[in-house]
Amino acid sequence: MTIVAGVDFGTLSVRVTLVDGVKGPIGTASASYPLHRRREDPDFATQSHADQMAALAAATRDALRSTGVDGESVAAIALDTTGSSVIPVGEGLEPLDEYYLWCDHRAFAEAEEITACAHRLGFEGIKWCGGVYSSEWGFSKLLHWLRHNPEKRGLFVTALEHCDMVAATLCGISSVSEVKRSVCAMGHKWMWNPKWDGLPPEEFLVAVDPLFAGVRAKIGGEFLTSNHLAGHLSAKWAEALGLRAGIPVPVGAFDAHWDAIGCNIREGDAVNVVGTSTCIIAMAHQAQLVPGVCGVVPGSVHPDYTGIEAGLSATGDIFEAVARRAGSSVSALSEGLDAYKAGQTGLLRLSWDNGDRTVLVNPELGGVTLGWNLVHTAQDELFAAIEGTAFHTRIILERMAEYGVRIDRVINAGGIPQKSDVLNQVYANVLNKPVLVPAGIPTSLGSGIFALLAAGAYKTIEEAQEAVCLPLRTVEPDPRAAAVYEQLYRHYRDVYFALGKRDAEPVALGNVLPELRRIAAEVRRAD
């Protein structure tokens, strides 16, 4: 019997799951940490590395205590994290600042400059990340930090992705040369690809801004897929976590990518990891470039496949914001939503409250709700927001399919689908295809699978998945609701592309509001 620890660092908390190589998940625990935001700057979002590591220690010890597992018997620990969450570090890999969290969008101007320079110079890397570089990604965040922290530039040794920083910390690594960097993280967010000798060339980076001079050489270490080791657990952190020193720690990855592994992803699946935001993950043996996605990266998700990532910049965050403005909670507002019919609210809501991650890659956007009248409620808006995130997901899946990504099944993973039957049904109806939902919480199970590989319990990811993944239940689309959503989706698509870019082609939108009223009236009459 092999027991391992799988760790998932989310936006607000870390979850540690103990996984038995035969029985599967046997217990889990979580601990939270603060997200630092500023009301005067909605683009600001940072977190403390020390807070996160303290939470990891608390959650690990809690998982051991609640299951009665002896920490000495845990054979490996693996971790996934948010991304691109970037931390600048100095000597000894000590933090010079907090993480620029994935949802920190202060670097929108830097992202535009990187995009423009890449197209002007013909740098191929921009095509592999969808044609537009994002403020959510590594180089834009690092450039923003360099520009706004001149007093710390002389101390700067390197920048690390969240997953690589945590792995290095756990393994007691203190020099850049010993760091093992995640191909998943660096490929999707830093334009890393062996095709052009890894990172973007020095001349390109300096053309973006001279502050990048010498930075490429500082982003050192070895770039590896997650079937390799980052190192072994140090005595210091073994004591803090209550585990045995020397156990293997594989190279980490992004949370959504390993959530997909924990959902038993196969080629032909699209996994919607629906939480604070949504990450949409697919993989293929062969994949072409897809405009507007968050990267097409060999070796991400599964080391033997090419990973494709897309997503929404806010999902659960939107639901929480709707409830907060109403002085309520999502759970309270959700009571009775199961009685809502497709299109009955007459509202059409675009999920741009935190910008657009895919396919427009535009952080300048804001939330849009069309069709308000004087009697609409916060509950109506919440239902429209669920519909809107489903419509946005359909936009993305259609873009991926248009460029040859095979999508046979849709799996709804992440924390929200486990708690919202309404969301799963709306997604099935909007996509007009069955949606599969894990029968339990798959978060951190993907980490457990990579820990089992590191411990030698299984030789392949597929063997481990077969042993420990949760069964999937099926949510079938309702034909009547799907027909209504087919009408609404045409209007959503028109508005999405008409309002989503400064230089969008003119589109006649005068029929949208009357059509929302007509559809809502027809739905009410049908009842």
Side-chain angles (χ1 to χ4, degrees), residues 178-454:
E178 296 176 23
V179 168
K180 307 296 188 283
R181 294 185 187 264
S182 166
V183 160
C184 171
M186 302 306 290
H188 283 285
K189 312 300 184 183
W190 294 78
M191 295 190 285
W192 179 91
N193 195 308
K195 191 174 183 184
W196 48 84
D197 191 31
L199 292 169
E202 173 84 0
E203 56 268 26
F204 163 71
L205 293 172
V206 172
V208 173
D209 191 305
L211 284 177
F212 271 144
V215 164
R216 186 184 192 277
K218 292 182 177 181
I219 310 296
E222 198 172 358
F223 294 70
L224 298 168
T225 51
S226 293
N227 53 344
H228 295 84
L229 295 186
H232 295 83
L233 187 63
S234 69
K236 172 185 174 181
W237 281 100
E239 181 179 359
L241 273 57
L243 302 178
R244 173 166 48 90
I247 62 174
V249 181
V251 173
F254 287 154
D255 47 6
H257 297 69
W258 280 8
D259 278 352
I261 292 292
C263 290
N264 211 2
I265 188 174
R266 295 291 186 266
E267 186 173 15
D269 292 345
V271 179
N272 299 322
V273 184
V274 186
T276 307
S277 68
T278 293
C279 283
I280 300 173
I281 304 296
M283 65 185 197
H285 274 299
Q286 293 184 333
Q288 61 179 309
L289 304 183
V290 184
V293 304
C294 307
V296 177
V297 178
S300 81
V301 185
H302 189 302
D304 298 332
Y305 289 79
T306 293
I308 303 105
E309 179 193 343
L312 284 65
S313 291
T315 304
D317 268 355
I318 295 177
F319 307 156
E320 292 287 349
V322 171
R324 185 172 60 251
R325 287 193 292 267
S328 183
S329 66
V330 174
S331 60
L333 285 183
S334 295
E335 294 179 11
L337 280 188
D338 55 344
Y340 273 60
K341 305 298 183 184
Q344 78 166 53
T345 66
L347 298 174
L348 190 68
R349 199 184 194 291
L350 287 92
S351 52
W352 289 338
D353 300 51
N354 199 28
D356 183 288
R357 178 184 294 163
T358 313
V359 297
L360 300 172
V361 199
N362 187 351
E364 293 185 307
L365 301 175
V368 178
T369 306
L370 300 175
W372 288 110
N373 62 38
L374 297 177
V375 296
H376 275 121
T377 66
Q379 190 174 47
D380 294 333
E381 186 187 3
L382 178 59
F383 189 73
I386 294 171
E387 293 176 319
T389 61
F391 287 137
H392 194 165
T393 299
R394 180 169 168 177
I395 291 271
I396 294 166
L397 295 183
E398 288 184 352
R399 173 63 63 88
M400 292 167 71
E402 180 184 354
Y403 284 85
V405 179
R406 201 180 93 220
I407 300 174
D408 302 327
R409 305 192 305 174
V410 175
I411 302 172
N412 271 6
I416 292 178
Q418 302 300 322
K419 298 178 289 187
S420 179
D421 290 337
V422 169
L423 180 138
N424 295 320
Q425 188 64 62
V426 168
Y427 275 50
N429 295 340
V430 167
L431 300 175
N432 197 17
K433 60 178 62 182
V435 167
L436 306 178
V437 184
I441 299 175
T443 304
S444 69
L445 185 52
S447 298
I449 287 170
F450 279 95
L452 286 169
L453 291 181

Side-chain angles (χ1 to χ4, degrees), residues 2-22:
T2 302
I3 296 177
V4 298
V7 179
D8 174 272
F9 280 89
T11 304
L12 299 174
S13 64
V14 60
R15 177 184 294 273
V16 178
T17 298
L18 298 181
V19 181
D20 183 299
V22 176

